[in-house]
Amino acid sequence: MIRSVRIKPGQTAELEAILPVDRVVEIDDSGRCSLFDQQIIIADDQIAEVV
């Protein structure tokens, strides 16, 4: 299942550089997210809210 989540501020510089302005990304059940052709794993403690 794909869900949209808002990422908490204060992530690594690499992640902050590619996050959208609204900080909302889509992740799958395993926490994988594709941003600008990069596969990133988003942990539960990085999620501010499900939107």
Side-chain angles (χ1 to χ4, degrees):
M1 180 170 95
I2 302 293
R3 58 189 172 142
S4 294
V5 297
R6 187 174 320 278
I7 304 298
K8 291 179 182 176
Q11 303 301 316
T12 63
E14 294 85 10
L15 182 54
E16 290 287 345
I18 61 173
L19 278 175
V21 173
D22 64 2
R23 307 185 71 78
V24 174
V25 297
E26 290 185 343
I27 61 173
D28 64 15
D29 288 336
S30 63
R32 289 191 187 123
C33 172
S34 291
L35 292 171
F36 298 102
D37 296 327
Q38 296 182 34
Q39 287 286 329
I40 298 167
I41 301 295
I42 303 296
D44 287 343
D45 63 346
Q46 293 174 290
I47 298 172
E49 66 180 323
V50 177
V51 293

mmCIF file of all heavy atoms in Angstrom:
data_model
loop_
_atom_site.group_PDB
_atom_site.id
_atom_site.type_symbol
_atom_site.label_atom_id
_atom_site.label_comp_id
_atom_site.label_asym_id
_atom_site.label_seq_id
_atom_site.Cartn_x
_atom_site.Cartn_y
_atom_site.Cartn_z
ATOM 1 N N MET A 1 0.835 -1.174 0.000
ATOM 2 C CA MET A 1 0.000 0.000 0.000
ATOM 3 C C MET A 1 0.889 1.251 0.000
ATOM 4 O O MET A 1 1.841 1.345 0.759
ATOM 5 C CB MET A 1 -0.891 -0.015 1.250
ATOM 6 C CG MET A 1 -1.794 1.180 1.345
ATOM 7 S SD MET A 1 -3.009 1.015 2.647
ATOM 8 C CE MET A 1 -2.175 1.874 3.948
ATOM 9 N N ILE A 2 0.574 2.186 -0.829
ATOM 10 C CA ILE A 2 1.309 3.443 -0.911
ATOM 11 C C ILE A 2 0.604 4.459 -0.004
ATOM 12 O O ILE A 2 -0.613 4.549 0.015
ATOM 13 C CB ILE A 2 1.333 3.977 -2.357
ATOM 14 C CG1 ILE A 2 1.956 2.956 -3.298
ATOM 15 C CG2 ILE A 2 2.048 5.315 -2.432
ATOM 16 C CD1 ILE A 2 3.413 2.703 -3.092
ATOM 17 N N ARG A 3 1.396 5.206 0.750
ATOM 18 C CA ARG A 3 0.817 6.260 1.589
ATOM 19 C C ARG A 3 1.650 7.524 1.477
ATOM 20 O O ARG A 3 2.853 7.472 1.232
ATOM 21 C CB ARG A 3 0.672 5.816 3.033
ATOM 22 C CG ARG A 3 1.960 5.403 3.675
ATOM 23 C CD ARG A 3 1.712 4.773 5.034
ATOM 24 N NE ARG A 3 2.984 4.229 5.512
ATOM 25 C CZ ARG A 3 3.374 4.260 6.762
ATOM 26 N NH1 ARG A 3 2.608 4.781 7.687
ATOM 27 N NH2 ARG A 3 4.522 3.753 7.110
ATOM 28 N N SER A 4 0.995 8.644 1.649
ATOM 29 C CA SER A 4 1.674 9.940 1.627
ATOM 30 C C SER A 4 1.969 10.345 3.058
ATOM 31 O O SER A 4 1.088 10.279 3.923
ATOM 32 C CB SER A 4 0.801 10.997 0.966
ATOM 33 O OG SER A 4 0.618 10.695 -0.392
ATOM 34 N N VAL A 5 3.210 10.744 3.294
ATOM 35 C CA VAL A 5 3.625 11.143 4.638
ATOM 36 C C VAL A 5 4.402 12.455 4.569
ATOM 37 O O VAL A 5 5.016 12.769 3.569
ATOM 38 C CB VAL A 5 4.502 10.061 5.313
ATOM 39 C CG1 VAL A 5 3.723 8.775 5.515
ATOM 40 C CG2 VAL A 5 5.770 9.781 4.532
ATOM 41 N N ARG A 6 4.339 13.203 5.660
ATOM 42 C CA ARG A 6 5.123 14.440 5.782
ATOM 43 C C ARG A 6 6.346 14.100 6.638
ATOM 44 O O ARG A 6 6.227 13.537 7.719
ATOM 45 C CB ARG A 6 4.311 15.549 6.440
ATOM 46 C CG ARG A 6 5.027 16.886 6.442
ATOM 47 C CD ARG A 6 4.168 18.032 6.970
ATOM 48 N NE ARG A 6 2.770 18.015 6.567
ATOM 49 C CZ ARG A 6 2.294 18.466 5.403
ATOM 50 N NH1 ARG A 6 3.111 18.980 4.510
ATOM 51 N NH2 ARG A 6 1.006 18.424 5.141
ATOM 52 N N ILE A 7 7.526 14.457 6.145
ATOM 53 C CA ILE A 7 8.785 14.154 6.817
ATOM 54 C C ILE A 7 9.118 15.248 7.832
ATOM 55 O O ILE A 7 8.948 16.437 7.554
ATOM 56 C CB ILE A 7 9.935 14.029 5.787
ATOM 57 C CG1 ILE A 7 9.582 12.984 4.723
ATOM 58 C CG2 ILE A 7 11.248 13.689 6.469
ATOM 59 C CD1 ILE A 7 9.372 11.588 5.236
ATOM 60 N N LYS A 8 9.581 14.825 9.006
ATOM 61 C CA LYS A 8 9.981 15.777 10.052
ATOM 62 C C LYS A 8 11.172 16.610 9.589
ATOM 63 O O LYS A 8 12.017 16.122 8.835
ATOM 64 C CB LYS A 8 10.404 15.029 11.317
ATOM 65 C CG LYS A 8 9.297 14.330 12.033
ATOM 66 C CD LYS A 8 9.855 13.608 13.249
ATOM 67 C CE LYS A 8 8.778 12.842 13.974
ATOM 68 N NZ LYS A 8 9.324 12.064 15.108
ATOM 69 N N PRO A 9 11.291 17.836 10.055
ATOM 70 C CA PRO A 9 12.474 18.655 9.762
ATOM 71 C C PRO A 9 13.705 18.079 10.476
ATOM 72 O O PRO A 9 13.590 17.302 11.412
ATOM 73 C CB PRO A 9 12.132 20.024 10.340
ATOM 74 C CG PRO A 9 10.743 19.960 10.829
ATOM 75 C CD PRO A 9 10.284 18.548 10.818
ATOM 76 N N GLY A 10 14.880 18.493 10.019
ATOM 77 C CA GLY A 10 16.126 18.105 10.677
ATOM 78 C C GLY A 10 16.696 16.780 10.219
ATOM 79 O O GLY A 10 17.402 16.119 10.978
ATOM 80 N N GLN A 11 16.428 16.397 8.983
ATOM 81 C CA GLN A 11 16.986 15.159 8.444
ATOM 82 C C GLN A 11 18.412 15.412 7.954
ATOM 83 O O GLN A 11 18.925 16.520 8.038
ATOM 84 C CB GLN A 11 16.095 14.640 7.312
ATOM 85 C CG GLN A 11 14.662 14.397 7.716
ATOM 86 C CD GLN A 11 14.509 13.396 8.842
ATOM 87 O OE1 GLN A 11 15.146 12.343 8.859
ATOM 88 N NE2 GLN A 11 13.664 13.725 9.812
ATOM 89 N N THR A 12 19.033 14.376 7.418
ATOM 90 C CA THR A 12 20.393 14.536 6.898
ATOM 91 C C THR A 12 20.401 15.573 5.783
ATOM 92 O O THR A 12 19.382 15.802 5.120
ATOM 93 C CB THR A 12 20.932 13.209 6.335
ATOM 94 O OG1 THR A 12 20.107 12.816 5.230
ATOM 95 C CG2 THR A 12 20.959 12.119 7.388
ATOM 96 N N ALA A 13 21.536 16.190 5.563
ATOM 97 C CA ALA A 13 21.663 17.220 4.521
ATOM 98 C C ALA A 13 21.298 16.652 3.150
ATOM 99 O O ALA A 13 20.668 17.333 2.338
ATOM 100 C CB ALA A 13 23.075 17.786 4.513
ATOM 101 N N GLU A 14 21.669 15.403 2.894
ATOM 102 C CA GLU A 14 21.373 14.779 1.601
ATOM 103 C C GLU A 14 19.871 14.643 1.393
ATOM 104 O O GLU A 14 19.348 14.920 0.318
ATOM 105 C CB GLU A 14 22.040 13.405 1.486
ATOM 106 C CG GLU A 14 23.548 13.457 1.469
ATOM 107 C CD GLU A 14 24.167 13.499 2.867
ATOM 108 O OE1 GLU A 14 23.453 13.303 3.876
ATOM 109 O OE2 GLU A 14 25.371 13.753 2.948
ATOM 110 N N LEU A 15 19.159 14.218 2.435
ATOM 111 C CA LEU A 15 17.710 14.071 2.326
ATOM 112 C C LEU A 15 17.031 15.434 2.256
ATOM 113 O O LEU A 15 16.133 15.650 1.442
ATOM 114 C CB LEU A 15 17.162 13.258 3.503
ATOM 115 C CG LEU A 15 15.656 12.985 3.503
ATOM 116 C CD1 LEU A 15 15.201 12.346 2.198
ATOM 117 C CD2 LEU A 15 15.274 12.120 4.683
ATOM 118 N N GLU A 16 17.454 16.363 3.073
ATOM 119 C CA GLU A 16 16.872 17.711 3.057
ATOM 120 C C GLU A 16 17.021 18.359 1.680
ATOM 121 O O GLU A 16 16.139 19.090 1.241
ATOM 122 C CB GLU A 16 17.519 18.603 4.120
ATOM 123 C CG GLU A 16 17.163 18.248 5.549
ATOM 124 C CD GLU A 16 15.742 18.613 5.938
ATOM 125 O OE1 GLU A 16 15.079 19.395 5.240
ATOM 126 O OE2 GLU A 16 15.289 18.096 6.974
ATOM 127 N N ALA A 17 18.111 18.089 0.995
ATOM 128 C CA ALA A 17 18.376 18.703 -0.308
ATOM 129 C C ALA A 17 17.392 18.239 -1.381
ATOM 130 O O ALA A 17 17.123 18.977 -2.329
ATOM 131 C CB ALA A 17 19.804 18.403 -0.746
ATOM 132 N N ILE A 18 16.825 17.036 -1.244
ATOM 133 C CA ILE A 18 15.936 16.522 -2.285
ATOM 134 C C ILE A 18 14.470 16.457 -1.870
ATOM 135 O O ILE A 18 13.624 16.152 -2.694
ATOM 136 C CB ILE A 18 16.404 15.140 -2.794
ATOM 137 C CG1 ILE A 18 16.410 14.112 -1.663
ATOM 138 C CG2 ILE A 18 17.760 15.245 -3.461
ATOM 139 C CD1 ILE A 18 16.706 12.697 -2.128
ATOM 140 N N LEU A 19 14.165 16.771 -0.624
ATOM 141 C CA LEU A 19 12.771 16.760 -0.192
ATOM 142 C C LEU A 19 11.992 17.879 -0.874
ATOM 143 O O LEU A 19 12.506 18.977 -1.052
ATOM 144 C CB LEU A 19 12.669 16.970 1.323
ATOM 145 C CG LEU A 19 12.871 15.756 2.201
ATOM 146 C CD1 LEU A 19 12.866 16.171 3.672
ATOM 147 C CD2 LEU A 19 11.822 14.694 1.948
ATOM 148 N N PRO A 20 10.733 17.608 -1.232
ATOM 149 C CA PRO A 20 9.894 18.682 -1.773
ATOM 150 C C PRO A 20 9.663 19.761 -0.719
ATOM 151 O O PRO A 20 9.808 19.511 0.480
ATOM 152 C CB PRO A 20 8.580 17.973 -2.112
ATOM 153 C CG PRO A 20 8.806 16.521 -1.942
ATOM 154 C CD PRO A 20 10.049 16.331 -1.173
ATOM 155 N N VAL A 21 9.260 20.928 -1.149
ATOM 156 C CA VAL A 21 9.038 22.052 -0.246
ATOM 157 C C VAL A 21 8.012 21.706 0.829
ATOM 158 O O VAL A 21 8.187 22.041 2.000
ATOM 159 C CB VAL A 21 8.599 23.307 -1.037
ATOM 160 C CG1 VAL A 21 8.205 24.437 -0.108
ATOM 161 C CG2 VAL A 21 9.697 23.740 -1.977
ATOM 162 N N ASP A 22 6.949 20.997 0.460
ATOM 163 C CA ASP A 22 5.910 20.656 1.439
ATOM 164 C C ASP A 22 6.283 19.455 2.303
ATOM 165 O O ASP A 22 5.534 19.081 3.200
ATOM 166 C CB ASP A 22 4.568 20.430 0.752
ATOM 167 C CG ASP A 22 4.564 19.244 -0.204
ATOM 168 O OD1 ASP A 22 5.595 18.541 -0.336
ATOM 169 O OD2 ASP A 22 3.513 19.015 -0.824
ATOM 170 N N ARG A 23 7.438 18.826 2.035
ATOM 171 C CA ARG A 23 7.983 17.706 2.806
ATOM 172 C C ARG A 23 7.124 16.451 2.722
ATOM 173 O O ARG A 23 7.270 15.538 3.515
ATOM 174 C CB ARG A 23 8.219 18.092 4.258
ATOM 175 C CG ARG A 23 9.062 19.339 4.443
ATOM 176 C CD ARG A 23 9.389 19.628 5.869
ATOM 177 N NE ARG A 23 10.341 18.685 6.412
ATOM 178 C CZ ARG A 23 11.657 18.703 6.203
ATOM 179 N NH1 ARG A 23 12.179 19.640 5.466
ATOM 180 N NH2 ARG A 23 12.441 17.812 6.733
ATOM 181 N N VAL A 24 6.196 16.383 1.754
ATOM 182 C CA VAL A 24 5.320 15.225 1.601
ATOM 183 C C VAL A 24 5.887 14.315 0.520
ATOM 184 O O VAL A 24 6.200 14.765 -0.585
ATOM 185 C CB VAL A 24 3.881 15.656 1.251
ATOM 186 C CG1 VAL A 24 3.010 14.448 0.938
ATOM 187 C CG2 VAL A 24 3.287 16.467 2.384
ATOM 188 N N VAL A 25 6.032 13.028 0.875
ATOM 189 C CA VAL A 25 6.516 12.025 -0.068
ATOM 190 C C VAL A 25 5.611 10.804 0.016
ATOM 191 O O VAL A 25 4.890 10.620 0.986
ATOM 192 C CB VAL A 25 7.984 11.611 0.225
ATOM 193 C CG1 VAL A 25 8.923 12.782 0.057
ATOM 194 C CG2 VAL A 25 8.122 11.000 1.610
ATOM 195 N N GLU A 26 5.643 9.972 -1.027
ATOM 196 C CA GLU A 26 4.888 8.732 -1.027
ATOM 197 C C GLU A 26 5.843 7.589 -0.713
ATOM 198 O O GLU A 26 6.921 7.491 -1.313
ATOM 199 C CB GLU A 26 4.222 8.504 -2.377
ATOM 200 C CG GLU A 26 3.093 9.467 -2.634
ATOM 201 C CD GLU A 26 2.355 9.168 -3.915
ATOM 202 O OE1 GLU A 26 2.896 8.438 -4.769
ATOM 203 O OE2 GLU A 26 1.245 9.683 -4.064
ATOM 204 N N ILE A 27 5.437 6.729 0.243
ATOM 205 C CA ILE A 27 6.252 5.575 0.606
ATOM 206 C C ILE A 27 5.418 4.314 0.487
ATOM 207 O O ILE A 27 4.193 4.349 0.592
ATOM 208 C CB ILE A 27 6.840 5.695 2.035
ATOM 209 C CG1 ILE A 27 5.740 5.777 3.088
ATOM 210 C CG2 ILE A 27 7.769 6.898 2.135
ATOM 211 C CD1 ILE A 27 6.246 5.725 4.511
ATOM 212 N N ASP A 28 6.104 3.182 0.269
ATOM 213 C CA ASP A 28 5.402 1.911 0.246
ATOM 214 C C ASP A 28 5.445 1.284 1.636
ATOM 215 O O ASP A 28 5.927 1.890 2.587
ATOM 216 C CB ASP A 28 5.973 0.985 -0.833
ATOM 217 C CG ASP A 28 7.406 0.574 -0.597
ATOM 218 O OD1 ASP A 28 7.934 0.738 0.527
ATOM 219 O OD2 ASP A 28 8.030 0.062 -1.545
ATOM 220 N N ASP A 29 4.938 0.061 1.767
ATOM 221 C CA ASP A 29 4.859 -0.600 3.071
ATOM 222 C C ASP A 29 6.218 -0.810 3.728
ATOM 223 O O ASP A 29 6.315 -0.877 4.945
ATOM 224 C CB ASP A 29 4.152 -1.950 2.950
ATOM 225 C CG ASP A 29 2.661 -1.791 2.709
ATOM 226 O OD1 ASP A 29 2.108 -0.739 3.079
ATOM 227 O OD2 ASP A 29 2.058 -2.715 2.147
ATOM 228 N N SER A 30 7.261 -0.914 2.928
ATOM 229 C CA SER A 30 8.605 -1.129 3.492
ATOM 230 C C SER A 30 9.326 0.181 3.783
ATOM 231 O O SER A 30 10.460 0.181 4.233
ATOM 232 C CB SER A 30 9.442 -1.989 2.545
ATOM 233 O OG SER A 30 9.622 -1.328 1.319
ATOM 234 N N GLY A 31 8.672 1.327 3.520
ATOM 235 C CA GLY A 31 9.275 2.625 3.783
ATOM 236 C C GLY A 31 10.092 3.173 2.631
ATOM 237 O O GLY A 31 10.750 4.195 2.767
ATOM 238 N N ARG A 32 10.054 2.505 1.492
ATOM 239 C CA ARG A 32 10.826 2.971 0.332
ATOM 240 C C ARG A 32 10.137 4.134 -0.345
ATOM 241 O O ARG A 32 8.927 4.174 -0.490
ATOM 242 C CB ARG A 32 11.011 1.840 -0.675
ATOM 243 C CG ARG A 32 11.946 0.802 -0.194
ATOM 244 C CD ARG A 32 12.314 -0.146 -1.310
ATOM 245 N NE ARG A 32 13.098 -1.227 -0.757
ATOM 246 C CZ ARG A 32 12.790 -2.504 -0.856
ATOM 247 N NH1 ARG A 32 11.716 -2.868 -1.532
ATOM 248 N NH2 ARG A 32 13.539 -3.412 -0.307
ATOM 249 N N CYS A 33 10.967 5.048 -0.782
ATOM 250 C CA CYS A 33 10.508 6.261 -1.444
ATOM 251 C C CYS A 33 11.458 6.548 -2.605
ATOM 252 O O CYS A 33 12.663 6.373 -2.478
ATOM 253 C CB CYS A 33 10.538 7.398 -0.428
ATOM 254 S SG CYS A 33 10.234 9.008 -1.121
ATOM 255 N N SER A 34 10.920 6.981 -3.725
ATOM 256 C CA SER A 34 11.748 7.373 -4.861
ATOM 257 C C SER A 34 11.699 8.886 -5.011
ATOM 258 O O SER A 34 10.636 9.456 -5.211
ATOM 259 C CB SER A 34 11.257 6.731 -6.153
ATOM 260 O OG SER A 34 11.470 5.357 -6.131
ATOM 261 N N LEU A 35 12.849 9.524 -4.878
ATOM 262 C CA LEU A 35 12.965 10.961 -5.068
ATOM 263 C C LEU A 35 14.089 11.217 -6.054
ATOM 264 O O LEU A 35 15.233 10.855 -5.791
ATOM 265 C CB LEU A 35 13.271 11.669 -3.745
ATOM 266 C CG LEU A 35 12.183 11.677 -2.688
ATOM 267 C CD1 LEU A 35 12.729 12.223 -1.382
ATOM 268 C CD2 LEU A 35 11.010 12.508 -3.154
ATOM 269 N N PHE A 36 13.760 11.818 -7.161
ATOM 270 C CA PHE A 36 14.751 12.162 -8.179
ATOM 271 C C PHE A 36 15.612 10.959 -8.538
ATOM 272 O O PHE A 36 16.840 11.019 -8.524
ATOM 273 C CB PHE A 36 15.620 13.334 -7.727
ATOM 274 C CG PHE A 36 14.838 14.594 -7.510
ATOM 275 C CD1 PHE A 36 14.505 15.009 -6.228
ATOM 276 C CD2 PHE A 36 14.408 15.347 -8.579
ATOM 277 C CE1 PHE A 36 13.769 16.160 -6.022
ATOM 278 C CE2 PHE A 36 13.674 16.499 -8.381
ATOM 279 C CZ PHE A 36 13.355 16.909 -7.105
ATOM 280 N N ASP A 37 14.943 9.834 -8.828
ATOM 281 C CA ASP A 37 15.605 8.591 -9.233
ATOM 282 C C ASP A 37 16.505 8.004 -8.150
ATOM 283 O O ASP A 37 17.397 7.223 -8.451
ATOM 284 C CB ASP A 37 16.388 8.779 -10.533
ATOM 285 C CG ASP A 37 15.479 9.118 -11.693
ATOM 286 O OD1 ASP A 37 14.325 8.637 -11.709
ATOM 287 O OD2 ASP A 37 15.911 9.870 -12.582
ATOM 288 N N GLN A 38 16.311 8.376 -6.909
ATOM 289 C CA GLN A 38 17.053 7.792 -5.793
ATOM 290 C C GLN A 38 16.077 7.013 -4.923
ATOM 291 O O GLN A 38 15.001 7.504 -4.613
ATOM 292 C CB GLN A 38 17.727 8.870 -4.946
ATOM 293 C CG GLN A 38 18.790 9.652 -5.676
ATOM 294 C CD GLN A 38 19.437 10.666 -4.746
ATOM 295 O OE1 GLN A 38 19.586 10.436 -3.565
ATOM 296 N NE2 GLN A 38 19.815 11.792 -5.296
ATOM 297 N N GLN A 39 16.455 5.802 -4.537
ATOM 298 C CA GLN A 39 15.657 5.006 -3.616
ATOM 299 C C GLN A 39 16.086 5.348 -2.190
ATOM 300 O O GLN A 39 17.251 5.236 -1.849
ATOM 301 C CB GLN A 39 15.866 3.508 -3.867
ATOM 302 C CG GLN A 39 15.205 3.006 -5.117
ATOM 303 C CD GLN A 39 13.697 2.905 -4.965
ATOM 304 O OE1 GLN A 39 13.184 2.649 -3.888
ATOM 305 N NE2 GLN A 39 12.994 3.117 -6.052
ATOM 306 N N ILE A 40 15.143 5.779 -1.377
ATOM 307 C CA ILE A 40 15.427 6.189 -0.003
ATOM 308 C C ILE A 40 14.495 5.412 0.909
ATOM 309 O O ILE A 40 13.323 5.214 0.592
ATOM 310 C CB ILE A 40 15.199 7.702 0.166
ATOM 311 C CG1 ILE A 40 16.169 8.462 -0.736
ATOM 312 C CG2 ILE A 40 15.357 8.131 1.611
ATOM 313 C CD1 ILE A 40 15.841 9.906 -0.894
ATOM 314 N N ILE A 41 15.016 4.972 2.041
ATOM 315 C CA ILE A 41 14.196 4.313 3.050
ATOM 316 C C ILE A 41 13.831 5.354 4.112
ATOM 317 O O ILE A 41 14.696 5.997 4.685
ATOM 318 C CB ILE A 41 14.941 3.134 3.707
ATOM 319 C CG1 ILE A 41 15.355 2.098 2.670
ATOM 320 C CG2 ILE A 41 14.074 2.505 4.802
ATOM 321 C CD1 ILE A 41 14.215 1.392 1.988
ATOM 322 N N ILE A 42 12.541 5.503 4.362
ATOM 323 C CA ILE A 42 12.043 6.423 5.370
ATOM 324 C C ILE A 42 11.624 5.594 6.590
ATOM 325 O O ILE A 42 10.747 4.733 6.492
ATOM 326 C CB ILE A 42 10.834 7.238 4.849
ATOM 327 C CG1 ILE A 42 11.193 8.004 3.580
ATOM 328 C CG2 ILE A 42 10.296 8.157 5.929
ATOM 329 C CD1 ILE A 42 12.256 9.072 3.756
ATOM 330 N N ALA A 43 12.250 5.847 7.727
ATOM 331 C CA ALA A 43 11.924 5.146 8.969
ATOM 332 C C ALA A 43 10.729 5.823 9.644
ATOM 333 O O ALA A 43 10.467 7.011 9.426
ATOM 334 C CB ALA A 43 13.123 5.143 9.910
ATOM 335 N N ASP A 44 10.037 5.073 10.477
ATOM 336 C CA ASP A 44 8.858 5.623 11.159
ATOM 337 C C ASP A 44 9.184 6.863 11.980
ATOM 338 O O ASP A 44 8.358 7.768 12.079
ATOM 339 C CB ASP A 44 8.226 4.557 12.071
ATOM 340 C CG ASP A 44 7.498 3.476 11.282
ATOM 341 O OD1 ASP A 44 7.203 3.705 10.088
ATOM 342 O OD2 ASP A 44 7.236 2.412 11.861
ATOM 343 N N ASP A 45 10.366 6.914 12.569
ATOM 344 C CA ASP A 45 10.702 8.076 13.405
ATOM 345 C C ASP A 45 11.015 9.332 12.601
ATOM 346 O O ASP A 45 11.177 10.413 13.156
ATOM 347 C CB ASP A 45 11.837 7.763 14.371
ATOM 348 C CG ASP A 45 13.144 7.428 13.670
ATOM 349 O OD1 ASP A 45 13.146 7.174 12.445
ATOM 350 O OD2 ASP A 45 14.168 7.415 14.368
ATOM 351 N N GLN A 46 11.064 9.216 11.264
ATOM 352 C CA GLN A 46 11.269 10.369 10.400
ATOM 353 C C GLN A 46 9.945 10.976 9.937
ATOM 354 O O GLN A 46 9.927 12.048 9.352
ATOM 355 C CB GLN A 46 12.090 9.980 9.170
ATOM 356 C CG GLN A 46 13.522 9.597 9.485
ATOM 357 C CD GLN A 46 14.217 9.089 8.242
ATOM 358 O OE1 GLN A 46 13.907 8.006 7.762
ATOM 359 N NE2 GLN A 46 15.150 9.876 7.723
ATOM 360 N N ILE A 47 8.844 10.296 10.213
ATOM 361 C CA ILE A 47 7.522 10.714 9.723
ATOM 362 C C ILE A 47 6.850 11.605 10.765
ATOM 363 O O ILE A 47 6.701 11.219 11.916
ATOM 364 C CB ILE A 47 6.648 9.495 9.418
ATOM 365 C CG1 ILE A 47 7.291 8.660 8.301
ATOM 366 C CG2 ILE A 47 5.236 9.919 9.047
ATOM 367 C CD1 ILE A 47 6.606 7.337 8.053
ATOM 368 N N ALA A 48 6.455 12.799 10.325
ATOM 369 C CA ALA A 48 5.729 13.716 11.201
ATOM 370 C C ALA A 48 4.245 13.357 11.234
ATOM 371 O O ALA A 48 3.622 13.376 12.286
ATOM 372 C CB ALA A 48 5.915 15.158 10.741
ATOM 373 N N GLU A 49 3.694 13.033 10.049
ATOM 374 C CA GLU A 49 2.275 12.678 9.959
ATOM 375 C C GLU A 49 1.976 12.005 8.645
ATOM 376 O O GLU A 49 2.708 12.137 7.674
ATOM 377 C CB GLU A 49 1.398 13.931 10.096
ATOM 378 C CG GLU A 49 1.564 14.911 8.955
ATOM 379 C CD GLU A 49 0.706 16.156 9.088
ATOM 380 O OE1 GLU A 49 -0.446 16.028 9.568
ATOM 381 O OE2 GLU A 49 1.165 17.236 8.700
ATOM 382 N N VAL A 50 0.870 11.257 8.627
ATOM 383 C CA VAL A 50 0.365 10.677 7.393
ATOM 384 C C VAL A 50 -0.642 11.666 6.841
ATOM 385 O O VAL A 50 -1.490 12.171 7.582
ATOM 386 C CB VAL A 50 -0.298 9.311 7.663
ATOM 387 C CG1 VAL A 50 -0.894 8.748 6.386
ATOM 388 C CG2 VAL A 50 0.708 8.337 8.255
ATOM 389 N N VAL A 51 -0.511 11.985 5.560
ATOM 390 C CA VAL A 51 -1.420 12.979 4.960
ATOM 391 C C VAL A 51 -2.298 12.356 3.893
ATOM 392 O O VAL A 51 -2.088 11.303 3.442
ATOM 393 C CB VAL A 51 -0.659 14.189 4.377
ATOM 394 C CG1 VAL A 51 -0.016 14.973 5.484
ATOM 395 C CG2 VAL A 51 0.361 13.770 3.370
#
